[in-house]
Amino acid sequence: RRVLFRSDADQPLEQHEGGSVLVPEAYGKLYDACEAIARGQIIPAEWKRVLDAVESEVTRVRAQVDTGLETLNTPLEGDTFARAVANEVQRGLSESLQGLHRMRDFARTSSVADLNEGWTRLVAGNVRVQKAMRSLTAGQGRSTDVVILEDE
């Protein structure tokens, strides 16, 4: 079994393309729930509750990015770089949502492959968002280890 992360969200988690990926604490809870549902240790309603919470947060952030893009697309705001970063964040969030939708297929198929593929897409989307945010913060003296989605 490959361990994708530890429950401590402040630590580097999965190795991805030669670097560490930080994921929100909610992703850790989702991974644990997916592992538990695959082993029959929790009921589907518990798993779905955790999945719904992550999906709701990703969707919320995606809506914020969409609103930001609408603002950047006005003639007065011609920042091409910021628009490109926002577009890349939007693509990453979309990929994360695709991963969550793939995980939902498990309810229908009971195939652990759906959970695994969904997790892979979710993390890949998170990586895309982090890379976009790193490009935005580069040169501004900010930390480049960015966690976009945080538990409130």
Side-chain angles (χ1 to χ4, degrees):
R1 173 180 156 217
R2 186 172 113 176
V3 177
L4 297 175
F5 55 79
R6 295 180 293 270
S7 61
D8 181 359
D10 294 328
Q11 297 296 319
L13 301 177
E14 181 173 310
Q15 291 296 316
H16 194 279
E17 297 179 18
S20 296
V21 176
L22 297 176
V23 296
E25 183 180 339
Y27 283 26
K29 291 176 183 176
L30 176 59
Y31 185 85
D32 290 343
C34 287
E35 190 170 68
I37 193 74
R39 293 181 178 185
Q41 297 171 335
I42 62 173
I43 61 172
E46 286 181 62
W47 168 72
K48 188 178 180 310
R49 181 185 50 77
V50 176
L51 183 65
D52 289 347
V54 173
E55 185 172 5
S56 175
E57 183 63 12
V58 174
T59 300
R60 183 187 68 76
V61 172
R62 170 74 197 261
Q64 289 177 335
V65 173
D66 289 347
T67 300
L69 275 171
E70 288 174 17
T71 301
L72 288 172
N73 286 328
T74 63
L76 299 176
E77 300 285 339
D79 190 341
T80 308
F81 177 71
R83 190 175 318 121
V85 169
N87 281 326
E88 191 63 13
V89 168
Q90 190 178 48
R91 282 191 283 281
L93 293 169
S94 292
E95 188 170 3
S96 292
L97 287 171
Q98 289 170 5
L100 293 166
H101 295 157
R102 178 67 187 264
M103 286 181 192
R104 283 193 187 284
D105 290 343
F106 177 81
R108 182 178 43 80
T109 67
S110 297
S111 172
V112 175
D114 289 327
L115 297 176
N116 290 333
E117 177 61 28
W119 177 258
T120 299
R121 287 184 189 177
L122 179 66
V123 170
N126 190 55
V127 167
R128 184 182 291 260
V129 168
Q130 286 186 34
K131 285 181 178 179
M133 294 306 294
R134 284 184 181 123
S135 71
L136 185 63
T137 60
Q140 297 177 11
R142 295 183 183 170
S143 168
T144 58
D145 289 329
V146 178
V147 178
I148 299 299
L149 305 176
E150 298 176 1
D151 290 333
E152 296 179 349

